[in-house]
Amino acid sequence: MLKKVEKAPDEVIAEVTLRELLSEVLGLAEDQVSGFAESTALFGSLPEFDSMAVANFLTALEERLGVLIEDDDVDAEDFASFGSLLDFVERLQSR
């Protein structure tokens, strides 16, 4: 029998924040975003997630988390999948 792994509160907040921002910034339906798994491809796979959307997403993320995101904080691989973007958000949150 598989045991369900509970997430830490910070991980839950990061995931909720990410899903909300993806829905808001990209104009995606909440039910679509709620179905994203860690392996869901984002940049290059979602037509809504282009370079302009990345810039808007980063600005919204800075405002939501109250952090300053420097150019060297961001790597293109961070936007490859929902899981990699969630890791990025968690890193920012832990500052």
Side-chain angles (χ1 to χ4, degrees), residues 61-81:
L61 188 59
E62 284 179 323
E63 291 173 2
R64 186 73 57 97
L65 297 181
V67 298
L68 178 63
I69 301 171
E70 301 289 344
D71 290 342
D72 59 344
D73 293 335
V74 183
D75 190 1
E77 293 174 3
D78 293 327
F79 296 90
S81 70

Side-chain angles (χ1 to χ4, degrees), residues 74-93:
V74 183
D75 190 1
E77 293 174 3
D78 293 327
F79 296 90
S81 70
F82 182 78
S84 62
L85 193 52
L86 181 56
D87 290 342
F88 175 71
V89 172
E90 289 173 349
R91 283 195 317 270
L92 290 175
Q93 253 186 338

Side-chain angles (χ1 to χ4, degrees), residues 28-78:
L28 299 173
E30 289 180 17
D31 60 331
Q32 179 182 3
V33 175
S34 68
F36 287 173
E38 285 193 24
S39 61
T40 301
L42 297 178
F43 191 77
S45 294
L46 291 176
E48 300 87 353
F49 211 6
D50 58 14
S51 57
M52 189 61 164
V54 168
N56 291 336
F57 175 82
L58 291 172
T59 300
L61 188 59
E62 284 179 323
E63 291 173 2
R64 186 73 57 97
L65 297 181
V67 298
L68 178 63
I69 301 171
E70 301 289 344
D71 290 342
D72 59 344
D73 293 335
V74 183
D75 190 1
E77 293 174 3
D78 293 327

